[in-house]
Amino acid sequence: MTAPRLLFADPEGNLYDHPELLAAARHGEAVGEPDETPIPLPAFGRLASLPGRLPIGVDPETGELVVVDEITVGERTFQPVAVGAMLQPGYTRTLLPADEPLGDAPVLPQWAYTAAGWGEEGPVVWALHTDQRTHWNPTDFSTRELGGIVQARLLGEGSNRILKQLKTCALQYNCFTSQNTFYCRDEAAIPASVMCNARCVGCISDQPEDGPPASHERMDDAPLAEEMARVGIHHLKNATGRVMVSFGQGCEGEPLTRWKVIEKAIRAMRAETSRGSININTNGSLTEGLDALFRAGLDAVRVSLNSAWAPLYRAYYRPIGYDFSDVEASIAAARRHGGYVALNLLLFPGVTDRAGEVEALCELVAKHRVDQVQTRSLCIDPQQYLAVAGEVAAPGEPIGVPALLERLQAARPGLVIGNFARGLDER
């Protein structure tokens, strides 16, 4: 197989493949020719230029890295721009784009930038297809009928603050889970909180003025328990497919900060129907609240974390009034209640797969008999996260994302590696 060639863009965003240089990739701080086999760019993935960053390629004769600061295409000479890829749900990146930031480079918008190159038959990326189930097929979302379906639902329940928020998420942000609420199928979203007890560097709904633009606008009016219950009861009773409702969405804060309200909503749902699953996506900060939710009828939890190495966890999450020990206590509590326990692992090649981090993650998964690890490529400017990791990342050299996933499965026989929540009949 011929090694993929370097991709670059002109200042207007037009893409080119380099006539001589091969693609390079970043693995944490290290940049070089990839030693992993790439895959074709998935059907719903896309390539994008990375403003303020020069492309880095590999000289095929010497193997040396080349920072391309000027190039001539036809009769035009310009400063090229580095290129990366964004992948559809179900894929996990293994390498990052190789680039050289200029002095005035902006912080990149919050996407999971993936290394890309030009192969024999078109664009390729360095990633794994980690969840091949078809119910999250992008062709089934953002259909022409969606706008009418949303409007019809709002005609009867337009005062419900949850549905008002989900209208924006479904139609503007193309959030699949929000759209499911209106399609009345599979996993539906129930945002619950405007507050948060963490200040995540890569938060997608709340960024400081000097940060990148937030990719979502956070909910600004917290719903009542009755509003949450109405949405949940409707979905649990009527939805098709993998019937599930989930608290804790990208457009809100931390749902456990409103656990008492959510507890009332869950009890109201279960008073009406025993059908389907009730899940919460959470940072796991408030163990008392999670305990109460399981007693009320919660049956699944997905705990988000970027690291099982406490110093790096603190540096990214910047928790307020809790620590990583509380997160682990919540995972233990969910296991005591017999809940389905998933980790939402915010994965970053070259940091998450460092030897010390792998050891800590394997210990966490084995100790608490975690059911599933959902790999989630961390949406952040790579240079921003590398600066966060700095001296607080776990020790050891990176072993590679594929090896990380193999080690996790060896640590916990039966562990599910994927990208999406599992319904009751999949557990």
Side-chain angles (χ1 to χ4, degrees):
M1 178 180 177
T2 304
R5 295 196 299 276
L6 171 66
L7 278 170
F8 64 94
D10 64 20
E12 291 72 41
N14 300 303
L15 300 178
Y16 305 87
D17 59 292
H18 200 281
E20 300 172 359
L21 298 179
L22 305 179
R26 179 180 295 279
H27 191 196
E29 296 285 359
V31 176
E33 184 175 358
D35 57 5
E36 300 177 15
T37 302
I39 62 173
L41 178 70
F44 296 94
R46 59 190 177 95
L47 300 172
S49 58
L50 310 180
R53 288 147 176 84
L54 299 175
I56 301 177
V58 178
D59 186 319
E61 299 295 330
T62 66
E64 295 181 352
L65 295 176
V66 179
V67 178
V68 185
D69 58 5
E70 186 177 272
I71 195 164
T72 300
V73 177
E75 298 181 354
R76 183 184 177 207
T77 299
F78 55 87
Q79 185 179 70
V81 182
V83 169
M86 279 85 84
L87 307 180
Q88 68 211 52
Y91 290 82
T92 302
R93 68 181 172 189
T94 60
L95 294 173
L96 307 160
D99 57 29
E100 180 72 30
L102 297 169
D104 58 351
V107 178
L108 293 174
Q110 294 162 303
W111 296 101
Y113 301 99
T114 302
W118 189 264
E120 295 175 348
E121 299 182 4
V124 296
V125 293
W126 278 269
L128 300 172
H129 195 177
T130 38
D131 205 319
Q132 302 189 34
R133 292 175 302 156
T134 59
H135 63 277
W136 284 100
N137 191 325
T139 59
D140 297 330
F141 294 88
S142 301
T143 61
R144 285 183 291 181
E145 299 81 15
L146 179 61
I149 293 172
V150 170
Q151 290 304 319
R153 181 77 178 271
L154 290 176
L155 280 176
E157 302 179 68
S159 63
N160 191 311
R161 280 168 281 198
I162 293 173
L163 295 179
K164 287 181 179 179
Q165 176 69 20
L166 294 184
K167 173 186 176 181
T168 299
C169 297
L171 299 181
Q172 294 186 26
Y173 305 143
N174 296 314
C175 169
F176 286 2
T177 316
S178 298
Q179 291 185 12
N180 276 340
T181 308
F182 295 104
Y183 286 126
C184 201
R185 69 186 184 201
D186 295 323
E187 182 183 3
I190 305 183
S193 176
V194 299
M195 302 174 289
C196 196
N197 55 358
R199 298 160 294 165
C200 299
V201 177
C203 180
I204 63 174
S205 65
D206 187 22
Q207 282 290 321
E209 290 185 4
D210 59 347
S215 56
H216 293 66
E217 183 176 345
R218 180 173 292 185
M219 180 185 233
D220 61 4
D221 193 9
L224 301 173
E226 292 78 9
E227 292 173 297
M228 290 188 273
R230 284 201 298 272
V231 173
I233 291 168
H234 181 275
H235 196 82
L236 293 172
K237 282 187 171 182
N238 300 294
T240 59
R242 302 156 47 261
V243 182
M244 179 186 304
V245 294
S246 287
F247 300 96
Q249 306 299 317
C251 60
E252 64 172 306
E254 167 52 43
L256 284 181
T257 61
R258 300 192 76 223
W259 66 265
K260 293 182 180 179
V261 181
I262 295 174
E263 179 186 17
K264 293 179 182 178
I266 292 176
R267 291 192 183 281
M269 292 178 203
R270 283 305 180 218
E272 289 288 330
T273 179
S274 61
R275 187 171 184 256
S277 172
I278 302 177
N279 172 68
I280 189 168
N281 305 314
T282 173
N283 61 24
S285 54
L286 301 172
T287 306
E288 176 190 9
L290 191 62
D291 260 325
L293 297 187
F294 271 105
R295 289 195 296 269
L298 188 77
D299 59 82
V301 62
R302 185 180 73 166
V303 178
S304 292
L305 70 166
N306 70 311
S307 175
W309 185 256
L312 179 55
Y313 179 90
R314 295 186 197 106
Y316 176 78
Y317 271 82
R318 299 185 293 182
I320 302 170
Y322 77 95
D323 203 355
F324 185 74
S325 58
D326 298 294
V327 178
E328 189 166 359
S330 291
I331 296 171
R335 173 54 63 214
R336 285 197 305 273
H337 285 284
Y340 186 82
V341 180
L343 300 183
N344 186 43
L345 180 60
L346 305 177
L347 197 150
F348 189 93
V351 175
T352 315
D353 58 327
R354 293 182 70 166
E357 181 69 62
V358 173
E359 183 178 350
L361 284 167
C362 288
E363 181 180 347
L364 182 71
V365 164
K367 177 181 179 181
H368 298 292
R369 294 176 289 120
V370 170
D371 296 296
Q372 181 184 11
V373 171
Q374 295 182 31
T375 56
R376 192 80 49 180
S377 295
L378 181 58
C379 293
I380 195 171
D381 183 326
Q383 294 298 328
Q384 189 180 16
Y385 192 66
L386 289 172
V388 169
E391 300 298 321
V392 300
E397 295 298 317
I399 67 171
V401 172
L404 159 66
L405 301 185
E406 290 176 4
R407 288 279 302 276
L408 285 171
Q409 289 187 307
R412 166 74 165 129
L415 177 73
V416 174
I417 300 289
N419 300 91
F420 313 121
R422 261 48 180 178
L424 287 172
D425 61 350
E426 298 174 300
R427 299 173 184 171

